[in-house]
Amino acid sequence: MQQKDVLPTKPKTTASAPAVAENITGAEAVIRSLVAEGVDTIFGYPGGAIMPIYDALYDFQDTVHHILVRHEQGATHAAQGYARSSGKVGVVFATSGPGATNLVTGIADAYVDSTPMVCITGQVAAALLGTDAFQETDVIGITMPITKWNIQVTRPEDIAPAIAKAFYIARSGRPGPVLVDITKNAQFAVTNFEYKPCSYIRSYSPTPELNQEQIAAAALAINDAKRPYILCGHGVLLSGAEKALIALAEKAGIPIASTLLGLSAVPTSHPLYVGYLGMHGNYSPNINTNECDVLIAVGMRFDDRVTGDVSKYARQAKVIHIEIDAAEINKIVKADVAVHADAKAALEALLPLVNAEKHEEWLASFREGDKLEYEKVQQNELHPKAGGLTMAEVIRRISEKTEGRAILVTDVGQHQMVASRYYQFRDPNTNITSGGMGTMGFALPAAMGAKVGAPEKEVVAIIGDGCFQMTLQELGTINQSQIGVKIVILNNNFLGMVRQWQQLFFDKRYSSTEMINPDFVQIAKGFFVEAKKVSSRDEIDAAVDTMLAHKGAYLLEVVVEKEENVFPMVPTGAGIGEIRLD
């Protein structure tokens, strides 16, 4: 998966990276290196071991906007949201010890979901390393399994080269997080500074050379297919391959389904788009995975939430896997044709080689499945005859009123699955969620980062009552930095997804899942964020209109059915062909 290399326009400032070498402190070298990389925003939290860097940042306030979060985990999720909405590298500052360890969840999330991020942490002085000094933690050892690369810098002259390398690794190939840990003595000491961007590292080849034989083999399989099927993953968005994917599908008449992170790569209104894959995805995309004869997986890794029981997954199909990370090829599902390449490059090379086709009967089979899902599930969720508000009808209202053009940032749970199925995405990179890690508490900080990264877009966070309470302190950041994000809490007074599983598979033994919640409206107002609570169907339209019309941040709490379940559903251990509609 290839990250688009897009850098921001550097703001005008008197403090900028020098054209020639000069003697400056290591701390200032950090900031000048970031300016040279085009960084315009940093999410962070100061502390003792990183204080010299924050002191240097003081002189660059016209160049680099620092956003003071309320918890370091919030900084990482905000940087993720910023990176995903802007196409740039997210940047995080944190101090040593607990400051650094508080980054771990967000780093791991970014690693699994291929989000480019550079984390810079302060560290105790080099002479104190290994002595269990105050707030000393081995952040290099802790983060080694969850970063593309990390390094500890103990000399000021090594700072600029380390940061240059960090940005190159973070944004190239399959993107991901990188961590640079800088000791306090290196921040204070003076060095002869000159910044040289990195564009090559020996033994690191992030973009594989396109193999024309692999492309030809893929084209041959597609041209022979009677029931070809494209699975669109996050790599399509990361490589900027949306137009190439649609062009290929339109020429060859191939239905397209999306993974969770692939959502928004293809407009949901496109006639070849057939829905969302996975455990709580749409019915026909899951069922027809086991009916296709050629499966074309683009920039996706066959996560278990997509495959279900792998032994029952697409056994009848010839599999073409287009993937930039060689480690993902043949890891879960054996590829008959492995195309180790950037998604955009591979799709553009394939386009002239595939035949113009129309697979109308095959496409019609998806529409038959859609009708069944509507009758069994969607009709009751979108147009309930009785009872309280459903999550689906709230999401559909938001989708209609934003015309599908808002950036939707979802947390993790039932609301995430419902939003993924019912929001009608029209534009690329407008779906931001925690996929592989499934991190509760992701959405609020990620939404504020997304808004900073794309201030011209409406950003709507969809959050459950349980998730919201994990990172609600970032309302303080939203208020202080005046970030106009819209927050929707779908409140069912339960940890809904866990409760659903307890109902279906544990005899309704609701162990530690019911929530006694606080007054979310009063909490929001305590942070000077305007808020409203609604609980009836006749209030929802006006409430959403008010939220969207509000100029600043706004929190809307919507009380929904307490024991609503999310279907379709593939039970754990089942194959995707065993997907349930009730």
Side-chain angles (χ1 to χ4, degrees):
M1 294 179 282
Q2 180 68 32
Q3 169 68 31
K4 290 176 285 188
D5 191 1
V6 180
L7 295 179
T9 302
K10 186 169 70 178
K12 293 180 180 179
T13 178
T14 55
S16 60
V20 295
E22 61 177 285
N23 286 327
I24 59 174
T25 65
E28 186 173 345
V30 171
I31 307 301
R32 287 187 181 270
S33 297
L34 296 177
V35 171
E37 286 290 345
V39 172
D40 58 7
T41 304
I42 298 167
F43 302 92
Y45 203 98
I50 200 171
M51 204 174 296
I53 292 175
Y54 270 90
D55 183 68
L57 180 63
Y58 189 87
D59 294 326
F60 288 77
Q61 294 178 71
D62 293 335
T63 311
V64 182
H65 181 208
H66 179 271
I67 294 178
L68 176 63
V69 298
R70 296 304 186 263
H71 189 283
E72 291 88 353
Q73 181 181 343
T76 56
H77 294 326
Q80 288 176 271
Y82 174 88
R84 301 256 295 268
S85 71
S86 69
K88 305 169 188 176
V89 177
V91 179
V92 173
F93 279 0
T95 195
S96 63
T101 59
N102 282 344
L103 302 181
V104 168
T105 296
I107 293 172
D109 195 293
Y111 184 71
V112 177
D113 286 354
S114 306
T115 304
M117 183 165 67
V118 171
C119 298
I120 295 175
T121 53
Q123 185 56 275
V124 301
L128 295 175
L129 290 172
T131 68
D132 294 328
F134 178 68
Q135 291 192 334
E136 180 198 358
T137 302
D138 180 12
V139 68
I140 297 299
I142 291 169
T143 62
M144 189 174 293
I146 54 171
T147 52
K148 281 188 75 177
W149 179 70
N150 65 12
I151 188 172
Q152 187 171 78
V153 179
T154 60
R155 304 186 308 165
E157 60 266 33
D158 295 330
I159 288 173
I163 291 175
K165 190 174 179 181
F167 273 85
Y168 175 58
I169 292 172
R171 66 161 64 98
S172 60
R174 179 180 181 175
V178 171
L179 184 137
V180 181
D181 190 46
I182 306 173
T183 59
K184 200 166 184 178
N185 62 291
Q187 298 173 46
F188 276 125
V190 173
T191 184
N192 191 248
F193 175 81
E194 182 178 10
Y195 195 78
K196 296 179 180 178
C198 179
S199 60
Y200 170 78
I201 299 171
R202 187 163 59 94
S203 78
Y204 175 60
S205 301
T207 306
E209 185 177 346
L210 196 62
N211 185 312
Q212 294 299 331
E213 290 184 3
Q214 294 173 353
I215 295 295
L220 182 63
I222 292 170
N223 290 336
D224 285 343
K226 302 300 181 187
R227 298 183 305 281
Y229 188 21
I230 293 173
L231 307 187
C232 166
H234 194 198
V236 172
L237 289 157
L238 292 172
S239 68
E242 304 93 343
K243 290 181 180 178
L245 179 77
I246 292 170
L248 178 72
E250 289 177 342
K251 181 179 180 182
I254 307 175
I256 309 170
S258 173
T259 67
L260 175 63
L261 290 177
L263 287 169
S264 81
V266 180
T268 55
S269 60
H270 194 283
L272 289 172
Y273 181 75
V274 295
Y276 158 52
L277 295 160
M279 178 175 281
H280 288 284
N282 295 113
Y283 180 75
S284 65
N286 282 295
I287 287 290
N288 277 355
T289 303
N290 285 351
E291 298 296 329
C292 67
D293 58 1
V294 172
L295 187 68
I296 308 148
V298 188
M300 53 90 74
R301 58 188 181 84
F302 292 108
D303 178 80
D304 63 286
R305 290 295 168 115
V306 167
T307 64
D309 183 349
V310 180
S311 69
K312 302 176 183 178
Y313 183 80
R315 306 301 295 174
Q316 79 295 336
K318 180 175 285 189
V319 175
I320 300 168
H321 194 181
I322 300 172
E323 172 59 50
I324 198 168
D325 186 352
E328 296 294 349
I329 297 174
N330 294 321
K331 186 175 83 172
I332 307 294
V333 173
K334 185 182 183 303
D336 297 279
V337 181
V339 181
H340 180 211
D342 167 64
K344 184 178 181 180
L347 292 169
E348 289 179 341
L350 266 175
L351 184 59
L353 301 181
V354 299
N355 297 334
E357 297 281 357
K358 289 185 178 180
H359 299 282
E360 293 177 346
E361 289 186 13
W362 171 231
L363 183 61
S365 71
F366 287 89
R367 303 312 175 202
E368 287 301 314
D370 293 345
K371 290 178 184 178
L372 181 61
E373 181 179 342
Y374 182 81
E375 292 168 2
K376 294 277 191 179
V377 179
Q378 295 179 0
Q379 183 171 242
N380 295 328
E381 292 184 340
L382 292 171
H383 309 290
K385 295 178 180 178
L389 279 162
T390 67
M391 292 178 281
E393 58 184 322
V394 177
I395 297 298
R396 184 54 59 88
R397 294 289 205 293
I398 293 169
S399 180
E400 290 168 352
K401 291 178 182 294
T402 59
E403 298 181 340
R405 296 200 180 277
I407 294 176
L408 199 72
V409 185
T410 53
D411 222 294
V412 173
Q414 288 182 316
H415 60 278
Q416 177 191 35
M417 299 295 99
V418 173
S420 299
R421 285 175 44 234
Y422 286 105
Y423 194 83
Q424 303 295 296
F425 296 99
R426 293 183 64 181
D427 301 324
N429 294 304
T430 52
N431 169 59
I432 297 176
T433 195
S434 173
M437 276 285 285
T439 303
M440 291 180 67
F442 171 87
L444 185 63
M448 70 186 190
K451 183 64 175 178
V452 172
E456 75 287 356
K457 299 281 287 188
E458 189 75 80
V459 177
V460 181
I462 307 295
I463 311 177
D465 48 310
C467 293
F468 182 71
Q469 292 177 76
M470 290 195 167
T471 51
L472 64 80
Q473 69 273 6
E474 297 308 332
L475 288 172
T477 307
I478 289 168
N479 174 52
Q480 180 169 339
S481 295
Q482 292 296 291
I483 302 170
V485 66
K486 305 302 190 286
I487 305 153
V488 179
I489 300 175
L490 298 181
N491 181 7
N492 58 12
N493 292 286
F494 264 112
L495 298 177
M497 187 63 82
V498 183
R499 184 213 55 75
Q500 177 171 337
W501 283 67
Q502 288 174 336
Q503 176 184 335
L504 297 177
F505 307 113
F506 292 88
D507 300 322
K508 294 188 178 182
R509 292 160 60 87
Y510 295 159
S511 176
S512 302
T513 47
E514 188 164 10
M515 304 284 285
I516 298 176
N517 288 320
D519 187 329
F520 293 123
V521 170
Q522 288 303 311
I523 288 174
K525 289 184 176 181
F527 283 102
F528 306 102
V529 172
E530 190 59 46
K532 183 179 177 63
K533 178 179 180 178
V534 297
S535 57
S536 66
R537 190 163 286 110
D538 57 6
E539 295 177 288
I540 192 65
D541 281 325
V544 173
D545 287 338
T546 300
M547 175 185 72
L548 294 174
H550 189 75
K551 297 300 182 184
Y554 193 97
L555 184 146
L556 176 62
E557 178 189 355
V558 183
V559 179
V560 295
E561 276 289 334
K562 192 169 184 179
E563 296 187 59
E564 179 186 356
N565 288 332
V566 178
F567 289 100
M569 177 182 184
V570 180
T572 294
I576 55 171
E578 300 167 85
I579 188 169
R580 294 172 52 174
L581 289 170
D582 52 34

